[in-house]
Amino acid sequence: MNAMIQFLNDQGTTLLYKTWEHLFISITAVLLGIIVAVPLGVALTRFKKAAETVIRIVSVIQTLPSLAILAFFIPILGVGKLPAIIALFCYSMLPILRNTYISIKNTDQNLLEAGRGMGMTSWQLIYKIELPLAVPVIMAGIRISTVYLIGWATLASFVGAGGLGDFIFDGLNLYMPELILAGAIPSTILALLADWTLGLLERKLTPTTTSKQSELA
Amino acid sequence: MLTFKNVSKVYGKTKKAVNSLNLNINKGEFICIIGPSGCGKTTTMKMINRLIEPSEGHILIEGKDIMDQPKVKLRRDIGYVIQQIGLFPHMTIGENITLVPKLLQWPKEKRKARAEELIELVHLSKDYLDRYPQELSGGQQQRIGVLRALASNPPLILMDEPFGALDPITRDGLQEEFKDLQQRLGKTIVFVTHDMDEAIKLADRIVIMRDGEIVQVDTPDEILRNPANEFVENFIGKDRLIQTKPGVTKVGQIMNKVPATIHKEETLSTAIKQMKEKRVDSLLVIDHEHHLEGYIDVEDIEQNRKKSTTVSEIVETELYKVKENSLIRDTIQKMLKRHTKYVPVVDENNKLKGIVTRATLADLVYDSIWGEEESEEELTTLQ
């Protein structure tokens, strides 16, 4: 306990700063992932033949060892936050892409026929029918991605991106378990908090389908 | 209003789903397209709003070729109802109904007023506008589905087996409600079904299709009387041909014109005396002008003998009535479905004209199958 207070006294500001860095790297990567994977997932439902191939490629990226990917970007992008964010972004793609693709693909065909028959354009079908109804599944993909990325972002320290990984690797190098904990515990807390926040967001974004629900909201 | 000129739809190179179809539909007409699965009836209908594009020929709406109009605009001007209803679960009933007006960018107040006007057409309260589709029964949902098609007041409405997924009693009610609505609003309807009873009941003209071609186009009566060929005969079914007579006979022609009645101010003991005299177990209750008020039956009298003295105190006003010009076959169906023993016949002013009882029907069935070899079998099934 004393050691902990001692540590917070010495390293409190660094810890806050590293936590912020960690969060910044993960969130940016997830945001990039959403910006790319959600539209791509929707687009793939329009080109079903290409869909399988694209999803397979993204799956392969997912299986590459994370350290290897991080190292792979050093010759191209150098060291620092950028290669870390790009590498993590690659990882965030699969859950979001797959969930978007599957949920949009499984939209009730009758709803689409009704919409089309009433004269909705393809865009209107996407943003008025398909996306709102797919929100819960897409959000599930985003939550999984975020939690994973916050864990994996500790590895970003290897390419000089900073974040809580710095504590963990310092701890490993110096045989100081308390430093490892100082990196691991905040990282876990971050992941839990992010999941909880996204859960709230999911509930907010999911369209209501009963009048009782809307009374509660 | 709507014209098909040599319209064909070819899938692949050779498979003709619809082959050189010619058809002319008048304004305000209720057209049922009917035929076995795969006969091209749905394809024919979907070509009208270009959900399926015709391969050859022209389809004209009010003289304008549909291929010359943008798809989206064309579809917004045509109502569309599908079997699976397809209400959007994340929109309220109000939003669902006014979807097309919204696409057409009507102002909000106008949309709201329209939704309120429409929901009254199907006798649902305004509260329903704020509910969500999953909170409604199947029958209510399809009522909303129909309203959604009516929302922007299109002259033409396409319906793809809209009542097919509903239970028989709900379907029956909706068919009647819808036919009435169509006549009041003067809409042109193209209605795809595989149910001959439905087609006979609703259609002004029936289009019978087979293998992508029209076999016969005629009024229900004419098709029942003069089927074009053996296919049509088989499709209509022997049972219905035997029933053709009830199919075209009006209630007024066969009803009993002197039903057992009682004046509403009479006493219960008079009522019982009347019943005994006429050997019936219920009496129709009327007022001075011969307007139908309801009925009383022997059970009601038995239960209320001590409390009440006059007929008007215990009269049961909930009862099913028909008009003189109703088709007898619809009346038969309803009597059988509702398990009623008789149906009073009234005119527009609710004046009692006569009564159709199960005995009347037995006479009719006996007449219509007289001479049929399987009459014995028919009678047993009807009993």
PDB file of all heavy atoms in Angstrom, chain A residues 22 62 66 70 88 91-92 145 147-156:
ATOM      1  N   HIS A  22      -2.322   6.433 -24.149  1.00  0.00           N
ATOM      2  CA  HIS A  22      -2.874   5.108 -24.418  1.00  0.00           C
ATOM      3  C   HIS A  22      -4.275   5.219 -25.018  1.00  0.00           C
ATOM      4  O   HIS A  22      -4.602   4.619 -26.045  1.00  0.00           O
ATOM      5  CB  HIS A  22      -2.939   4.340 -23.097  1.00  0.00           C
ATOM      6  CG  HIS A  22      -3.090   2.865 -23.266  1.00  0.00           C
ATOM      7  ND1 HIS A  22      -2.009   2.017 -23.312  1.00  0.00           N
ATOM      8  CD2 HIS A  22      -4.187   2.083 -23.399  1.00  0.00           C
ATOM      9  CE1 HIS A  22      -2.442   0.786 -23.485  1.00  0.00           C
ATOM     10  NE2 HIS A  22      -3.762   0.791 -23.532  1.00  0.00           N
ATOM     11  N   GLN A  62      -5.898 -10.149 -39.268  1.00  0.00           N
ATOM     12  CA  GLN A  62      -6.169 -10.370 -37.852  1.00  0.00           C
ATOM     13  C   GLN A  62      -5.275 -11.464 -37.262  1.00  0.00           C
ATOM     14  O   GLN A  62      -4.928 -11.407 -36.090  1.00  0.00           O
ATOM     15  CB  GLN A  62      -7.645 -10.758 -37.693  1.00  0.00           C
ATOM     16  CG  GLN A  62      -8.147 -10.729 -36.277  1.00  0.00           C
ATOM     17  CD  GLN A  62      -8.603  -9.327 -35.903  1.00  0.00           C
ATOM     18  OE1 GLN A  62      -8.658  -8.437 -36.749  1.00  0.00           O
ATOM     19  NE2 GLN A  62      -8.899  -9.123 -34.642  1.00  0.00           N
ATOM     20  N   SER A  66       0.757  -9.461 -33.623  1.00  0.00           N
ATOM     21  CA  SER A  66       0.680  -8.009 -33.516  1.00  0.00           C
ATOM     22  C   SER A  66       2.066  -7.364 -33.498  1.00  0.00           C
ATOM     23  O   SER A  66       2.261  -6.296 -34.079  1.00  0.00           O
ATOM     24  CB  SER A  66      -0.112  -7.611 -32.281  1.00  0.00           C
ATOM     25  OG  SER A  66      -0.103  -8.634 -31.335  1.00  0.00           O
ATOM     26  N   LEU A  70       3.463  -4.367 -36.019  1.00  0.00           N
ATOM     27  CA  LEU A  70       4.044  -3.114 -35.532  1.00  0.00           C
ATOM     28  C   LEU A  70       5.442  -2.926 -36.128  1.00  0.00           C
ATOM     29  O   LEU A  70       5.782  -1.851 -36.632  1.00  0.00           O
ATOM     30  CB  LEU A  70       4.129  -3.140 -34.002  1.00  0.00           C
ATOM     31  CG  LEU A  70       2.803  -2.904 -33.285  1.00  0.00           C
ATOM     32  CD1 LEU A  70       2.890  -3.322 -31.843  1.00  0.00           C
ATOM     33  CD2 LEU A  70       2.396  -1.437 -33.391  1.00  0.00           C
ATOM     34  N   LEU A  88      -2.857  -0.745 -35.196  1.00  0.00           N
ATOM     35  CA  LEU A  88      -4.034  -1.081 -34.398  1.00  0.00           C
ATOM     36  C   LEU A  88      -5.319  -0.943 -35.227  1.00  0.00           C
ATOM     37  O   LEU A  88      -6.258  -1.724 -35.082  1.00  0.00           O
ATOM     38  CB  LEU A  88      -4.110  -0.189 -33.162  1.00  0.00           C
ATOM     39  CG  LEU A  88      -3.041  -0.491 -32.099  1.00  0.00           C
ATOM     40  CD1 LEU A  88      -3.104   0.534 -30.989  1.00  0.00           C
ATOM     41  CD2 LEU A  88      -3.222  -1.894 -31.545  1.00  0.00           C
ATOM     42  N   TYR A  91      -6.162  -3.972 -36.964  1.00  0.00           N
ATOM     43  CA  TYR A  91      -6.809  -4.965 -36.110  1.00  0.00           C
ATOM     44  C   TYR A  91      -8.268  -4.640 -35.821  1.00  0.00           C
ATOM     45  O   TYR A  91      -9.084  -5.519 -35.602  1.00  0.00           O
ATOM     46  CB  TYR A  91      -6.061  -5.090 -34.778  1.00  0.00           C
ATOM     47  CG  TYR A  91      -4.840  -5.941 -34.901  1.00  0.00           C
ATOM     48  CD1 TYR A  91      -3.580  -5.397 -34.796  1.00  0.00           C
ATOM     49  CD2 TYR A  91      -4.966  -7.305 -35.152  1.00  0.00           C
ATOM     50  CE1 TYR A  91      -2.466  -6.173 -34.927  1.00  0.00           C
ATOM     51  CE2 TYR A  91      -3.856  -8.088 -35.287  1.00  0.00           C
ATOM     52  CZ  TYR A  91      -2.599  -7.521 -35.176  1.00  0.00           C
ATOM     53  OH  TYR A  91      -1.513  -8.306 -35.308  1.00  0.00           O
ATOM     54  N   SER A  92      -8.582  -3.355 -35.777  1.00  0.00           N
ATOM     55  CA  SER A  92      -9.956  -2.987 -35.412  1.00  0.00           C
ATOM     56  C   SER A  92     -10.935  -3.323 -36.529  1.00  0.00           C
ATOM     57  O   SER A  92     -12.135  -3.466 -36.315  1.00  0.00           O
ATOM     58  CB  SER A  92     -10.031  -1.488 -35.105  1.00  0.00           C
ATOM     59  OG  SER A  92      -9.954  -0.750 -36.311  1.00  0.00           O
ATOM     60  N   SER A 145     -13.868  -4.482 -30.707  1.00  0.00           N
ATOM     61  CA  SER A 145     -12.660  -3.859 -31.243  1.00  0.00           C
ATOM     62  C   SER A 145     -11.994  -2.965 -30.213  1.00  0.00           C
ATOM     63  O   SER A 145     -10.793  -3.025 -29.995  1.00  0.00           O
ATOM     64  CB  SER A 145     -12.998  -3.002 -32.458  1.00  0.00           C
ATOM     65  OG  SER A 145     -13.054  -3.800 -33.596  1.00  0.00           O
ATOM     66  N   VAL A 147     -12.229  -2.871 -26.896  1.00  0.00           N
ATOM     67  CA  VAL A 147     -11.642  -3.560 -25.748  1.00  0.00           C
ATOM     68  C   VAL A 147     -10.326  -4.242 -26.153  1.00  0.00           C
ATOM     69  O   VAL A 147      -9.316  -4.128 -25.452  1.00  0.00           O
ATOM     70  CB  VAL A 147     -12.645  -4.589 -25.180  1.00  0.00           C
ATOM     71  CG1 VAL A 147     -11.992  -5.462 -24.129  1.00  0.00           C
ATOM     72  CG2 VAL A 147     -13.845  -3.856 -24.599  1.00  0.00           C
ATOM     73  N   TYR A 148     -10.329  -4.913 -27.301  1.00  0.00           N
ATOM     74  CA  TYR A 148      -9.089  -5.542 -27.770  1.00  0.00           C
ATOM     75  C   TYR A 148      -7.987  -4.515 -27.958  1.00  0.00           C
ATOM     76  O   TYR A 148      -6.850  -4.706 -27.550  1.00  0.00           O
ATOM     77  CB  TYR A 148      -9.333  -6.249 -29.112  1.00  0.00           C
ATOM     78  CG  TYR A 148      -9.988  -7.605 -28.992  1.00  0.00           C
ATOM     79  CD1 TYR A 148     -10.416  -8.292 -30.116  1.00  0.00           C
ATOM     80  CD2 TYR A 148     -10.169  -8.199 -27.749  1.00  0.00           C
ATOM     81  CE1 TYR A 148     -11.020  -9.528 -30.015  1.00  0.00           C
ATOM     82  CE2 TYR A 148     -10.773  -9.427 -27.637  1.00  0.00           C
ATOM     83  CZ  TYR A 148     -11.202 -10.091 -28.778  1.00  0.00           C
ATOM     84  OH  TYR A 148     -11.802 -11.308 -28.667  1.00  0.00           O
ATOM     85  N   LEU A 149      -8.351  -3.412 -28.626  1.00  0.00           N
ATOM     86  CA  LEU A 149      -7.330  -2.429 -28.975  1.00  0.00           C
ATOM     87  C   LEU A 149      -6.695  -1.798 -27.751  1.00  0.00           C
ATOM     88  O   LEU A 149      -5.495  -1.542 -27.727  1.00  0.00           O
ATOM     89  CB  LEU A 149      -7.936  -1.340 -29.871  1.00  0.00           C
ATOM     90  CG  LEU A 149      -7.479  -1.420 -31.325  1.00  0.00           C
ATOM     91  CD1 LEU A 149      -7.704  -2.799 -31.878  1.00  0.00           C
ATOM     92  CD2 LEU A 149      -8.182  -0.377 -32.163  1.00  0.00           C
ATOM     93  N   ILE A 150      -7.492  -1.571 -26.725  1.00  0.00           N
ATOM     94  CA  ILE A 150      -6.922  -0.975 -25.514  1.00  0.00           C
ATOM     95  C   ILE A 150      -5.910  -1.940 -24.907  1.00  0.00           C
ATOM     96  O   ILE A 150      -4.859  -1.535 -24.412  1.00  0.00           O
ATOM     97  CB  ILE A 150      -8.041  -0.595 -24.523  1.00  0.00           C
ATOM     98  CG1 ILE A 150      -8.804   0.610 -25.085  1.00  0.00           C
ATOM     99  CG2 ILE A 150      -7.469  -0.257 -23.151  1.00  0.00           C
ATOM    100  CD1 ILE A 150     -10.001   1.037 -24.272  1.00  0.00           C
ATOM    101  N   GLY A 151      -6.190  -3.243 -24.999  1.00  0.00           N
ATOM    102  CA  GLY A 151      -5.208  -4.228 -24.548  1.00  0.00           C
ATOM    103  C   GLY A 151      -3.968  -4.215 -25.427  1.00  0.00           C
ATOM    104  O   GLY A 151      -2.845  -4.134 -24.932  1.00  0.00           O
ATOM    105  N   TRP A 152      -4.188  -4.273 -26.717  1.00  0.00           N
ATOM    106  CA  TRP A 152      -3.044  -4.376 -27.632  1.00  0.00           C
ATOM    107  C   TRP A 152      -2.218  -3.097 -27.689  1.00  0.00           C
ATOM    108  O   TRP A 152      -1.054  -3.121 -28.064  1.00  0.00           O
ATOM    109  CB  TRP A 152      -3.532  -4.731 -29.044  1.00  0.00           C
ATOM    110  CG  TRP A 152      -3.944  -6.158 -29.145  1.00  0.00           C
ATOM    111  CD1 TRP A 152      -3.493  -7.181 -28.381  1.00  0.00           C
ATOM    112  CD2 TRP A 152      -4.882  -6.713 -30.055  1.00  0.00           C
ATOM    113  NE1 TRP A 152      -4.086  -8.353 -28.744  1.00  0.00           N
ATOM    114  CE2 TRP A 152      -4.957  -8.097 -29.781  1.00  0.00           C
ATOM    115  CE3 TRP A 152      -5.675  -6.174 -31.074  1.00  0.00           C
ATOM    116  CZ2 TRP A 152      -5.781  -8.959 -30.491  1.00  0.00           C
ATOM    117  CZ3 TRP A 152      -6.485  -7.032 -31.783  1.00  0.00           C
ATOM    118  CH2 TRP A 152      -6.555  -8.407 -31.492  1.00  0.00           C
ATOM    119  N   ALA A 153      -2.833  -1.974 -27.339  1.00  0.00           N
ATOM    120  CA  ALA A 153      -2.112  -0.702 -27.417  1.00  0.00           C
ATOM    121  C   ALA A 153      -0.904  -0.683 -26.490  1.00  0.00           C
ATOM    122  O   ALA A 153       0.004   0.129 -26.669  1.00  0.00           O
ATOM    123  CB  ALA A 153      -3.045   0.453 -27.086  1.00  0.00           C
ATOM    124  N   THR A 154      -0.866  -1.607 -25.514  1.00  0.00           N
ATOM    125  CA  THR A 154       0.330  -1.679 -24.657  1.00  0.00           C
ATOM    126  C   THR A 154       1.558  -2.020 -25.489  1.00  0.00           C
ATOM    127  O   THR A 154       2.673  -1.596 -25.185  1.00  0.00           O
ATOM    128  CB  THR A 154       0.155  -2.734 -23.551  1.00  0.00           C
ATOM    129  OG1 THR A 154      -0.315  -3.932 -24.152  1.00  0.00           O
ATOM    130  CG2 THR A 154      -0.833  -2.275 -22.504  1.00  0.00           C
ATOM    131  N   LEU A 155       1.341  -2.803 -26.567  1.00  0.00           N
ATOM    132  CA  LEU A 155       2.475  -3.180 -27.414  1.00  0.00           C
ATOM    133  C   LEU A 155       3.021  -1.990 -28.200  1.00  0.00           C
ATOM    134  O   LEU A 155       4.150  -2.013 -28.679  1.00  0.00           O
ATOM    135  CB  LEU A 155       2.044  -4.280 -28.400  1.00  0.00           C
ATOM    136  CG  LEU A 155       1.759  -5.645 -27.792  1.00  0.00           C
ATOM    137  CD1 LEU A 155       1.261  -6.596 -28.863  1.00  0.00           C
ATOM    138  CD2 LEU A 155       3.013  -6.204 -27.138  1.00  0.00           C
ATOM    139  N   ALA A 156       2.206  -0.938 -28.322  1.00  0.00           N
ATOM    140  CA  ALA A 156       2.621   0.223 -29.114  1.00  0.00           C
ATOM    141  C   ALA A 156       3.884   0.855 -28.555  1.00  0.00           C
ATOM    142  O   ALA A 156       4.639   1.527 -29.263  1.00  0.00           O
ATOM    143  CB  ALA A 156       1.498   1.243 -29.166  1.00  0.00           C
TER     144      ALA A 156
END
